[in-house]
């Protein structure tokens, strides 16, 4: 009896010790087996009808293999390279086409892709690039959604951004210390495999995990709590601090988008697409701040919209809110209003009611700057919805263009319809949201393209100042500021004196594209160690909306250039040091009419009573982003399948031998020591 008790206790103790030891051993051995790498994944997005982006329902690993050319890609797909092993493919962005991705998936031998972006590509790889967008991006939510035959703005577009891939895809762009270390490590492992001819094991392999929880569509995932609305905070500002909805003064609006889009959201930059237009607006606002704009017959309103790449979410919600009656109920909410006692209304919860001081019907003209980076010569193009309505505005712009004789062939503004083809407004134009509500507003959208969007439109490669014509952006900002001043019925002699600050344009482009911690930014924020910021609008938090770095800067900058000094000037460290209604800008308390405005799809509604987000209109923007498990991208040494099979057989045999040995040893000890 005592023997059995001791055997039982010993066995249980050994089992517990073995489990604990196995866990400890696994944890302690992990860093010797795997190398975890920071990663920038393509993720899953959803709307009212479908899903797009990347999702891997199960984990996978494969030998790292570098595909360097289309010929190598074709050979791999045809089975002329490699064994039956699975692979993790490293390839340049130029090879990331829809056809190539589908072909790789069809082989059944690829478990994931690692895409090398601009700084990891050869110069030759930039030839024959095509935009990852579709033929008419965002058009299903724009002004021409019901047109039977919409204009094809992107005939070479690959439509990657609207596709769904059941495979993990990660991007690498070595632009800072961390990403450079990751890139160097990946390339070192690839070189290791190349030296071994990809068949002399052990080889370097990669392990992928990219599980997305959301599925089906936005309505389904919101109901399950597996996704969140895409959005952010727009910014609007005017030097008319005393503007009122009933002051009977018309409004001249100057606008630009604030976000961009690409396959890898964390790496989204949009230097030519969104940053150039935004900088043009900010430079024009600064130029106008040096003349009297408060006493003009018309108001000047600056707007920078967030989430425009996602169904014009920012501009459509702004138009909806300033054109419809606002009803405050202050009823109980499922979640406390994040703005606390300072909120003018807690149901619906809003941070400010200043948007009701903007009378939509008083907007009498709109000038929008889109992609104005001038990467190719030919000048700028003025796009209009209706020639008869907006031709006079285009003419004023042409009259005010400040063209140095030396650059006369480069900087000029042409009507986009001068070839007698009326393409109307290009994709991405926030102006569409206003014209949807009131079609006869004179408006113009200025871009650096006439007929096609360009190969870098919404591309992960649109992330550099190289090739951008900053002097032309500055000249266009001057022309835009002069035209805006004249549209507000300002004096011609004063308009002639308005000039944009070209040094400011250079600083803004540098800060917003490649170095957010630049010296210029230090006058607004105490930031350090931040190089690039993502221009993806991110997700909208209904529980506690907070501005991302980009809208926060735009808010502060516009508040600075449109502000009035406080009647009793005082210094400040934070807004708490200023009087109610004042802001702390550059350590001084100022009065300004500058505000944030919620930006998320107008097809979505936040139910204050339940705290849930609902889909209320599937024809409007309903974009959401899936929640996910932490993406995994790690490398390790792998042996051949033959060696793995041998190791398995040896392990099984060893286990069987151990069991047999224990069995016969037990019989021997019982017989030898005569234990019953």
């Amino acid at each position: 009896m005592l023997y059995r008790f001791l055997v039982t206790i010993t066995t249980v103790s050994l089992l517990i010790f073995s489990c604990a030891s196995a866990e400890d051993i696994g944890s302690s051995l992990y860093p010797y087996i795997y190398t975890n790498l920071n990663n920038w994944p393509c993720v899953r997005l959803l709307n009212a009808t479908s899903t797009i982006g990347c999702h891997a329902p199960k984990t996978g690993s494969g030998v790292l293999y570098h595909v360097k050319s289309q010929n190598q890609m074709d050979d791999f797909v045809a089975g002329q390279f490699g064994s039956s092993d699975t692979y993790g493919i490293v390839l340049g962005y130029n090879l990331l086409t829809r056809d190539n991705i589908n072909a790789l998936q069809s082989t059944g031998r690829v478990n994931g892709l690692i895409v090398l972006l601009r700084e990891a590509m050869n110069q030759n790889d930039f030839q024959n690039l095509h935009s990852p967008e579709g033929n008419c991006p965002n058009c299903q939510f724009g002004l021409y959604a019901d047109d039977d035959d919409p204009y094809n703005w992107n005939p070479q577009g690959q439509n990657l951004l609207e596709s769904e891939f059941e495979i993990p895809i990660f991007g690498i762009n070595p632009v800072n210390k961390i990403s450079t270390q990751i890139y160097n490590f990946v390339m070192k492992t690839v070189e290791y495999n190349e030296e071994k001819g990809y068949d002399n094991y052990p080889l370097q392999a990669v392990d992928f995990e990219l599980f997305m929880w959301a599925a089906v569509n936005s309505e389904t995932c919101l109901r399950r709590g597996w996704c969140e609305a895409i959005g952010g905070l727009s910014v609007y500002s005017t030097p008319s601090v005393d503007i009122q909805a009933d002051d009977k003064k018309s409004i001249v609006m100057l606008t630009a988008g604030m976000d961009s889009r690409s396959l890898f959201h964390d790496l989204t930059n949009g230097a030519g697409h969104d940053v150039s237009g935004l900088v043009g607006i900010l430079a024009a606002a600064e130029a106008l701040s040096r003349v009297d704009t408060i006493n003009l017959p018309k108001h000047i309103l600056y707007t920078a919209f967030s989430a425009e790449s996602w169904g014009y979410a920012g501009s459509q919600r702004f138009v909806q809110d300033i054109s419809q009656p606002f009803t405050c109920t202050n009823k109980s909410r499922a979640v406390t209003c994040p703005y606390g006692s300072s909120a003018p209304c807690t149901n619906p919860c809003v941070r400010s009611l200043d948007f009701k001081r903007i009378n939509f019907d008083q907007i009498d003209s709109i000038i929008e700057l889109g992609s104005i980076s001038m990467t190719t010569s030919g000048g700028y193009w003025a796009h209009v919805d209706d020639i008869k309505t907006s031709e006079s505005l285009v003419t004023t712009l042409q009259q005010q263009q400040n063209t140095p004789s030396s650059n006369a062939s480069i900087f000029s503004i042409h009507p986009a319809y001068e070839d007698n083809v009326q393409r109307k407004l290009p994709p991405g134009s926030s102006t569409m949201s206003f014209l949807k509500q009131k079609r006869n507003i004179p408006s113009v959208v200025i871009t650096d393209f006439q007929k096609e969007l360009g190969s870098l439109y919404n591309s992960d490669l649109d992330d550099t100042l190289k090739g951008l014509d900053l002097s032309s952006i500055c000249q266009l900002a001057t022309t835009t500021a002069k035209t805006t001043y004249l549209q507000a019925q300002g004096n011609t002699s004063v308009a002639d004196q308005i000039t944009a600050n070209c040094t400011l344009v250079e600083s803004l482009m540098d800060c917003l594209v490649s170095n957010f911690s630049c010296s210029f930014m230090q006058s607004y924020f105490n930031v350090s160690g931040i190089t690039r910021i993502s221009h993806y609008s991110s997700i909208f938090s209904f529980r506690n909306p907070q501005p991302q770095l980009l809208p926060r800067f735009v808010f502060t900058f516009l508040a600075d250039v449109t502000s009035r000094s406080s009647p009793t000037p005082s210094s400040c460290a934070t807004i708490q040091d200023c009087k109610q209604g004042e802001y702390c800008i550059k350590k001084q308390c100022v009065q300004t009419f500058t505000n944030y405005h919620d930006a998320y799809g107008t097809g979505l509604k936040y139910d204050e009573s339940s705290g849930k987000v609902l889909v209320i209109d599937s024809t409007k923007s309903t974009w959401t982003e899936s929640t996910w498990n932490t993406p995994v991208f790690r490398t390790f040494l792998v042996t051949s399948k033959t060696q793995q099979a041998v190791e398995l057989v040896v392990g099984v045999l060893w286990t069987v031998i151990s069991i047999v040995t224990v069995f016969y040893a037990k019989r021997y000890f019982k017989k030898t020591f005569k234990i019953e």
Side-chain angles (χ1 to χ4, degrees):
M1 193 73 179
L2 178 61
Y3 167 76
R4 290 179 179 177
F5 175 74
L6 291 174
V7 169
T8 301
I9 291 297
T10 303
T11 303
V12 171
S13 300
L14 287 172
L15 284 172
I16 295 174
F17 177 77
S18 298
C19 292
S21 297
E23 183 176 349
D24 291 341
I25 291 171
S27 300
S28 60
L29 289 179
Y30 185 95
Y32 296 99
I33 300 174
Y34 296 105
T35 300
N36 280 319
L37 303 176
N38 289 64
N39 55 80
W40 299 271
C42 157
V43 301
R44 169 171 279 183
L45 306 169
L46 307 93
N47 58 24
T49 59
S50 61
T51 63
I52 63 172
C54 305
H55 162 65
K58 58 183 180 180
T59 61
S61 60
V63 173
L64 276 167
Y65 175 57
H66 191 186
V67 175
K68 300 178 181 179
S69 67
Q70 187 60 49
N71 288 336
Q72 286 188 359
M73 176 72 69
D74 296 339
D75 289 345
F76 180 89
V77 171
Q80 298 177 16
F81 170 84
S83 59
S84 59
D85 287 339
T86 54
Y87 293 87
I89 301 296
V90 179
L91 72 165
Y93 190 83
N94 57 306
L95 296 175
L96 189 71
T97 66
R98 195 172 180 180
D99 289 343
N100 281 344
I101 295 174
N102 291 336
L104 288 171
Q105 285 187 275
S106 68
T107 66
R109 297 190 298 145
V110 177
N111 279 335
L113 306 180
I114 303 170
V115 183
L116 305 179
L117 304 182
R118 177 178 292 278
E119 298 301 324
M121 295 170 62
N122 296 321
Q123 194 61 38
N124 294 335
D125 295 338
F126 290 91
Q127 299 177 5
N128 301 318
L129 287 173
H130 301 301
S131 167
E133 271 287 12
N135 292 337
C136 193
N138 245 353
C139 286
Q140 68 270 38
F141 304 108
L143 187 60
Y144 315 114
D146 298 327
D147 285 11
D148 295 331
D149 186 23
Y151 180 76
N152 186 349
W153 286 96
N154 196 23
Q156 302 299 321
Q158 301 182 53
N159 203 31
L160 273 179
L161 300 188
E162 295 295 325
S163 301
E164 182 178 21
F165 303 107
E166 296 286 322
I167 185 173
I169 304 178
F170 293 83
I172 299 179
N173 194 21
V175 294
N176 54 34
K177 183 177 180 180
I178 293 178
S179 58
T180 300
Q181 289 175 345
I182 302 300
Y183 167 72
N184 290 338
F185 183 85
V186 169
M187 297 313 295
K188 184 178 179 181
T189 58
V190 166
E191 290 170 4
Y192 173 88
N193 288 351
E194 288 177 341
E195 291 173 359
K196 292 203 165 193
Y198 292 103
D199 57 8
N200 185 15
Y201 288 85
L203 294 172
Q204 289 284 352
V206 61
D207 195 18
F208 297 106
E209 288 183 26
L210 192 65
F211 183 80
M212 300 284 137
W213 283 96
V216 186
N217 54 40
S218 288
E219 183 176 9
T220 302
C221 73
L222 286 169
R223 185 178 68 250
R224 295 172 175 173
W226 289 348
C227 62
E228 298 185 66
I230 292 177
L233 293 173
S234 300
V235 178
Y236 62 96
S237 178
T238 175
S240 304
V241 177
D242 300 321
I243 186 174
Q244 296 294 336
D246 58 357
D247 62 15
K248 298 181 180 180
K249 290 179 66 173
S250 297
I251 299 172
V252 179
M253 199 173 83
L254 201 52
T255 187
M258 196 163 33
D259 69 304
S260 189
R261 181 182 179 183
S262 69
L263 190 64
F264 306 104
H265 295 165
D266 293 334
L267 303 177
T268 299
N269 191 283
H273 171 39
D274 80 293
V275 178
S276 62
L278 177 63
V279 167
I281 294 297
L282 298 181
E286 192 277 334
L288 285 165
S289 72
R290 289 182 261 122
V291 298
D292 179 15
T293 54
I294 298 174
N295 298 309
L296 291 173
K298 298 180 182 180
H299 299 300
I300 297 175
L301 177 68
Y302 307 111
T303 55
F305 294 115
S306 186
E308 287 300 274
S309 299
W310 307 99
Y312 307 101
S315 58
Q316 287 192 2
R317 185 156 295 279
F318 183 73
V319 169
Q320 174 180 288
D321 289 347
I322 67 174
S323 60
Q324 295 181 0
F326 176 81
T327 303
C328 179
T329 66
N330 282 329
K331 291 181 179 179
S332 60
R333 294 166 41 91
V335 180
T336 303
C337 179
Y339 309 124
S341 58
S342 63
C345 179
T346 58
N347 192 340
C349 176
V350 292
R351 69 176 72 220
S352 169
L353 292 177
D354 281 348
F355 64 90
K356 300 310 299 178
R357 292 165 58 185
I358 300 171
N359 189 333
F360 178 86
D361 293 327
Q362 291 298 325
I363 298 175
D364 80 347
S365 57
I366 303 172
I367 301 175
E368 178 175 356
L369 301 186
S371 173
I372 58 169
S373 56
M374 287 279 287
T375 53
T376 58
S377 61
Y380 290 116
W381 300 92
H383 305 263
V384 299
D385 173 59
D386 180 77
I387 298 175
K388 184 178 179 180
T389 301
S390 304
E391 190 170 26
S392 62
L393 185 55
V394 175
T395 301
T396 304
L397 280 161
Q398 289 181 300
Q399 292 171 345
Q400 296 304 312
Q401 61 188 1
N402 188 12
T403 310
S405 57
S406 59
N407 291 331
S409 63
I410 298 177
F411 178 80
S412 55
I413 299 175
H414 310 276
Y417 47 86
E418 70 176 12
D419 59 355
N420 296 320
V421 177
Q422 171 56 321
R423 302 169 188 84
K424 302 183 180 180
L425 299 181
S429 304
S430 303
T431 302
M432 291 189 194
S433 301
F434 293 83
L435 297 186
K436 262 189 155 184
Q437 186 73 17
K438 185 180 177 183
R439 198 67 179 259
N440 62 348
I441 302 176
S443 50
V444 59
V445 178
I446 303 174
T447 69
D448 55 12
F449 58 85
Q450 179 190 18
K451 302 175 183 179
E452 297 183 11
L453 298 177
S455 62
L456 295 184
Y457 187 85
N458 283 350
S459 168
D460 287 282
L461 303 185
D462 183 16
D463 65 345
T464 180
L465 296 178
K466 296 177 182 177
L468 304 191
D469 190 343
L470 303 189
S471 63
S472 290
I473 296 175
C474 183
Q475 291 179 54
L476 181 59
T478 296
T479 300
T480 303
K482 289 182 175 183
T483 304
T484 301
Y485 188 81
L486 292 175
Q487 285 296 118
Q489 297 182 353
N491 187 284
T492 303
S493 61
V494 176
D496 291 339
Q497 301 172 13
I498 297 175
T499 57
N501 183 340
C502 292
T503 301
L504 172 65
V505 169
E506 293 173 0
S507 296
L508 287 173
M509 289 298 295
D510 175 57
C511 296
L512 298 183
V513 171
S514 58
N515 182 21
F516 195 77
S517 298
C518 62
S519 57
F520 175 80
M521 202 64 66
Q522 300 300 323
S523 60
Y524 293 98
F525 304 121
N526 183 20
V527 291
S528 61
I530 301 176
T531 52
R532 298 188 176 208
I533 60 172
S534 171
H535 288 235
Y536 169 57
S537 60
S538 190
I539 58 175
F540 186 84
S541 171
F542 291 92
R543 293 176 179 265
N544 188 23
Q546 294 295 326
Q548 300 287 327
L549 286 173
L550 182 57
R552 184 183 170 196
F553 164 70
V554 173
F555 176 97
T556 309
F557 183 90
L558 288 176
D560 181 30
V561 300
T562 63
S563 65
R564 293 183 190 175
S565 298
S566 173
T568 55
S570 58
S571 59
C572 59
T574 66
I575 192 173
Q576 284 74 25
D577 298 330
C578 301
K579 297 178 182 177
Q580 186 174 1
E582 295 182 345
Y583 289 90
C584 183
I585 306 295
K586 291 185 175 180
K587 299 183 179 181
Q588 291 292 319
C589 294
V590 298
Q591 295 178 341
T592 179
F593 186 93
T594 303
N595 288 281
Y596 294 111
H597 198 82
D598 293 351
Y600 59 94
T602 50
L604 302 174
K605 178 184 178 181
Y606 180 67
D607 184 0
E608 309 270 354
S609 60
S610 65
K612 295 183 178 180
V613 183
L614 309 174
V615 174
I616 59 171
D617 190 341
S618 60
T619 65
K620 297 179 180 179
S621 172
T622 57
W623 285 107
T624 56
E625 180 184 293
S626 174
T627 55
W628 59 70
N629 292 343
T630 302
V632 172
F633 172 26
R634 59 190 180 185
T635 61
F636 61 99
L637 278 173
V638 64
T639 56
S640 67
K641 286 190 174 182
T642 302
Q643 184 173 342
Q644 292 175 33
V646 171
E647 291 172 351
L648 176 63
V649 171
V650 170
V652 171
L653 290 175
W654 181 259
T655 302
V656 171
I657 292 172
S658 298
I659 293 173
V660 171
T661 300
V662 169
F663 176 77
Y664 281 103
K666 185 177 179 181
R667 291 185 60 183
Y668 171 77
F669 285 121
K670 279 186 177 181
K671 184 176 181 180
T672 302
F673 297 102
K674 301 186 182 303
I675 300 173
E676 295 297 334

